[in-house]
Structure formats: C-alpha cells, structure tokens
Amino acid sequence: MAAATATAAASLVSLPLLSAIFGAAIALLFLSGYLRRKRAAIAHLPPSATAAAPDQPKQVRPSNQNQPKKGHQRSHHAVDKDAAKKHHHLDVNTLRGHTDSVTALHFSDDACNLATVCADGAVRVFRVDDVSSKSFKILRINLPAGAHPTAIAFSQGASSVVVAAQALLGSSLYMYADVGAPPAGGNKQQGKLSPPEIKWEHRKIHGKESVLNLAAARATYGTGDGSTILISCSEATDIKIWHGKSGKELGTVDTNQLKNNMADISPNGRFIAAAAFTADVKVWEIVYSKDSSVKEVNKVMQLKGHKSAVTCLCFALNSEQIITASKDGTIRVWNINVRYHLDEDPKTLRVLPIPLHDSKGSVCQYDHMSVSPDEKVLATTSGSTLQWLCVETGAVLDTAEKAHEGDITGIAWAPRTIPNGGTPAFVLATAGVDKKVKLWLAPKAIST
C-alpha cells in the first residue's frame, strides 16, 4: 500500500516536470530558428547597410557636418546667379512699404513727390529728393473702408491728389489736400503729420463701372487759367472731365466703341484722346470761355490708320502729337496740329514696328507708354517687360525683361530731372503687382 502511494506521488511530480522540460525544448527550438534567420538576413545585407546599421548615429553626424558645406556652396551659387541677374543697370532704386499690388502712380509737377495707390486701400506719397536715397519720407492716407483704389493723379501742383476707388456700388473720386510728403531730414521713415482730409468726393461717377485711369493737365491753352483739369476713363465707354480744385464735373464724352482701354489729356489741357476697342482713336477738344471756365467739349477728329485695336496712347509734351500703339504690331506718331474746322485730317508722321516679341516670335502688345520730359525717349511696357525706344526712330534704347515680378500696372516720368547722387537725371517710375515701385534712369538717346 505504501509502495503504491509512493509510485502515484512520483507520477504526479514527474508529469509537471516533463511538461516543463518539453516546453523549454520547444522554446529553444523557436529561439534557435529565429537566430538563424536573423543571422542569414544580416549576412545578405550589402556592406554599406551592414556598416550603417549598428553605427547609424555616427554616420549621420559626419554627413550632417558635410551638408552645410554643400549647402554653403549652393548658396554661393545662388548669390552668384543673383549677382549675374542683378538689377538692370538703369534700375536705381525701389520704393517699398506696399502690402499688396500697386495699382497706379503719379508724380507731382515739381517732381518732388510720387503718389501711389495700392490694393491694400492706402495712398502713399513718397518724398523723392534724391533717387539714390536709402530711405524716403512717406505720408500714408487710408481710404474709406471698402474703397479699392484704381487710379491717382496730382491736382493743383503738389498740394493735393485725386483718387479713384471702386466699391460695391460703383466708382468714387476723393480729393485730398495738403498731401505733400515731409521734406528730407530726421531719421524717421513715417512723417508724423495730421492725416489729410477729403475736400470733395463724388460717388458712382461711372455707374457701377470701374475707373481705368486718371489723367491730369493744367489748362494753359487759349483762355485757360492754369487750373488742373482731370479726366476719368471708365471701363465702359464714357470719359468724364473734372475741375481738379473744386471737383465740379465739366463734361462727359463717349467713345461708343464697346469698351475703353485708357484715355489721356494733352499737357496744355486742350485735347482728350481715347484708346478703345476699335482701331480708330477719337479726339475731343475742350473749349474754354473768356472767364476760363469750360464752355463745351467737342469731338474734332479721328485718327484712322491702325488695323486693330489701339491698346495705349500718349501725348507729346507740345500737345500737338499723339503716339499710339496697336494690336496690329505698329506704333504711329500723329500730327494733330491741323485745321480740323476746315476738315483737314490729322497726319501720320511715322509708322514704327513694335520691336518686342514673345518666345514664339509673335509681336507683343504694349500696355502703357509715356514720353520723357526731353521728348527723346518713349517708355513702354508689355506684361512684366519694360522697354525704352527712341521717339524719332523707334530704335530700342534698352530693355528690362522681368522688370517686376509680375505685370507692370503703371508708369510715370518725373516731369523734370531729379538728383541721382547729386547729378540731375530723368527718372521713370513703374508700379507692379509685386508690391513694388521702381525708379529707373533714362537711357541715352540716339542722336539723329
């Protein structure tokens, strides 16, 4: 009986022991198989991977230490590229501070102030005493809420500006007086002056249509008293004439040509010309009464010769010639000093080919043009390209491709020379969608 009990106890003890031994054997088999597979995987790795696996942190550090050197070389390359692409040799300065696209600009009569309007809803007046200055005094004017400025022009010399702005209900005109930026002196960029007030305003001047451009001139022809006359050109077909100081509406003309591209007024305040949808350019004359008021505005001539729409135009400083650019690939210079009341037609003085072509060889169309104060250089733009031509021959004097990072929205010559490091120079200002206004020196004209 005792022996049977001992045998049963031994069997009870040996069963768990055998189970444990059997389990351990299975575990060892699995472990040995896993180790064999791992060694086989490591044995099949390429040498670079086996070297990197155990010491990866040590390999990463040297490569990171070398990386800045490569990056440093690349940045030097970029600097070299930038140096090679450095500003055009006529690009003398950039006026910064705009936070959105600059939509238009205009110089004062004395060339000391440059006014700009920006899609950020502000007018900025820069004091330009020397175009090579490192900083410029600025006067900022915030337009009424919701007003998006599209055009600007000085009125009454340098003392006031008229701004065209678009809102939900249509376009408006605002006249601000005493806008001259503070003269040079002091270290602060922003002049601390009381903000100019609105002296007069007109709302919905062209219905719901936007103002494409403003142009201004002093009424010096005939019995004109030298007051500033403004025109506002709508994107529809109408053009309105305004008295710069009082804001009185003096007249309206209509091109009847589907839509306008732009309009200009002659420097003596006598003629208005419009570039519109068709190939013909209509010209009106402002007739002044003996008391210098505007008596009437009459259509007096039509410039016929282009074969396609005229995209832009400008008057010569003598107010007797108009320069037009068309989609037909030509520039025409017209003599409008004719006896139109005797049915004498304006004469084409010169027909010049537009010398600018795109990458496919097609002729580009000009968006803006303006004649320099010495009447020797015609500044033109097409997209982001700025080009200077000889007024007499149409020869290319210089070209700045990608003058702005995006389209050029406006150009304006300073009406007289401005110091450039102390040396007087003719200066062109350009505005762009890249939030910049650039100042350019005039190229040397070709003597004829």
Side-chain angles (χ1 to χ4, degrees), residues 358-371:
D358 61 20
S359 58
K360 296 180 180 179
S362 302
V363 178
C364 296
Q365 68 180 48
Y366 285 148
D367 306 317
H368 306 90
M369 58 167 45
S370 183
V371 178

Side-chain angles (χ1 to χ4, degrees), residues 69 84 105 137 146 208 250 315 330 349 361 374 396 412-413 441:
K69 291 182 181 177
L105 74 174
K137 292 287 184 178
K208 291 189 176 182
L250 303 176
F315 281 91
T330 66
L349 299 178
D374 61 357
V396 177
W413 283 101
L441 300 178

Side-chain angles (χ1 to χ4, degrees), residues 89-108:
H89 67 102
L90 297 177
D91 181 0
V92 67
N93 216 329
T94 299
L95 305 182
R96 303 180 187 276
H98 304 92
T99 60
D100 209 329
S101 172
V102 184
T103 52
L105 74 174
H106 192 238
F107 270 105
S108 60

Side-chain angles (χ1 to χ4, degrees), residues 333-410:
V333 182
W334 308 80
N335 175 26
I336 59 170
N337 185 23
V338 296
R339 294 172 294 180
Y340 59 84
H341 53 282
L342 297 177
D343 294 329
E344 185 178 348
D345 292 328
K347 298 176 177 60
T348 300
L349 299 178
R350 291 184 294 282
V351 180
L352 308 168
I354 292 178
L356 189 64
H357 298 78
D358 61 20
S359 58
K360 296 180 180 179
S362 302
V363 178
C364 296
Q365 68 180 48
Y366 285 148
D367 306 317
H368 306 90
M369 58 167 45
S370 183
V371 178
S372 63
D374 61 357
E375 297 191 279
K376 294 181 179 179
V377 180
L378 178 67
T380 64
T381 75
S382 178
S384 63
T385 299
L386 174 61
Q387 192 167 60
W388 296 266
L389 308 180
C390 174
V391 172
E392 288 295 324
T393 64
V396 177
L397 301 177
D398 218 320
T399 302
E401 296 180 359
K402 296 184 179 178
H404 284 262
E405 297 169 16
D407 287 348
I408 297 171
T409 55

Side-chain angles (χ1 to χ4, degrees), residues 104-109 113-117 122-126 139-143 149 151-164 172-181 196-201 214 216 228 230 243-247:
L105 74 174
H106 192 238
F107 270 105
S108 60
D109 286 349
N113 292 293
L114 176 62
T116 68
V117 283
V123 177
R124 292 171 177 84
V125 182
F126 294 83
L139 178 67
R140 174 174 172 145
I141 307 167
N142 292 319
L143 292 172
I152 190 167
F154 270 96
S155 176
Q156 301 306 112
S159 62
S160 59
V161 291
V162 176
V163 182
S172 300
L173 284 184
Y174 303 97
M175 194 274 253
Y176 293 89
D178 304 319
V179 299
E197 297 179 355
I198 297 174
K199 294 300 181 182
W200 57 259
E201 65 179 288
L214 292 175
T228 299
L230 291 157
H243 190 275
K245 186 174 182 180
S246 67

Side-chain angles (χ1 to χ4, degrees), residues 227-240:
S227 298
T228 299
I229 303 296
L230 291 157
I231 63 167
S232 59
C233 177
S234 84
E235 62 183 356
T237 61
D238 58 324
I239 301 167
K240 291 196 173 186

Side-chain angles (χ1 to χ4, degrees), residues 13-232:
V13 172
S14 61
L15 185 60
L17 181 61
L18 288 172
S19 298
I21 292 170
F22 184 73
I26 293 174
L28 285 172
L29 286 173
F30 274 108
L31 180 60
S32 62
Y34 170 78
L35 291 175
R36 279 196 304 270
R37 287 194 301 273
K38 189 69 175 174
R39 281 196 298 270
I42 292 174
H44 283 85
L45 285 174
S48 59
T50 55
D55 297 323
Q56 189 171 357
K58 292 183 181 179
Q59 290 289 343
V60 168
R61 284 194 199 98
S63 65
N64 281 345
Q65 287 169 358
N66 292 333
Q67 188 69 23
K69 291 182 181 177
K70 293 179 183 176
H72 189 58
Q73 290 169 358
R74 280 199 298 270
S75 81
H76 268 307
H77 234 17
V79 169
D80 291 342
K81 262 192 192 172
D82 290 342
K85 288 196 219 181
K86 191 166 170 64
H87 296 310
H88 191 276
H89 67 102
L90 297 177
D91 181 0
V92 67
N93 216 329
T94 299
L95 305 182
R96 303 180 187 276
H98 304 92
T99 60
D100 209 329
S101 172
V102 184
T103 52
L105 74 174
H106 192 238
F107 270 105
S108 60
D109 286 349
D110 60 6
C112 292
N113 292 293
L114 176 62
T116 68
V117 283
C118 179
D120 61 11
V123 177
R124 292 171 177 84
V125 182
F126 294 83
R127 178 78 183 188
V128 186
D129 294 304
D130 192 308
V131 294
S132 64
S133 297
K134 292 184 178 179
S135 63
F136 299 87
K137 292 287 184 178
I138 306 172
L139 178 67
R140 174 174 172 145
I141 307 167
N142 292 319
L143 292 172
H148 303 283
T150 59
I152 190 167
F154 270 96
S155 176
Q156 301 306 112
S159 62
S160 59
V161 291
V162 176
V163 182
Q166 184 70 12
L168 286 176
L169 297 178
S171 52
S172 300
L173 284 184
Y174 303 97
M175 194 274 253
Y176 293 89
D178 304 319
V179 299
N187 297 321
K188 294 185 178 178
Q189 177 84 359
Q190 180 76 28
K192 291 187 177 179
L193 298 175
S194 326
E197 297 179 355
I198 297 174
K199 294 300 181 182
W200 57 259
E201 65 179 288
H202 293 285
R203 297 184 181 275
K204 297 180 71 174
I205 59 172
H206 294 287
K208 291 189 176 182
E209 304 297 334
S210 174
V211 173
L212 294 175
N213 77 290
L214 292 175
R218 287 184 177 274
T220 58
Y221 178 78
T223 56
D225 61 1
S227 298
T228 299
I229 303 296
L230 291 157
I231 63 167
S232 59

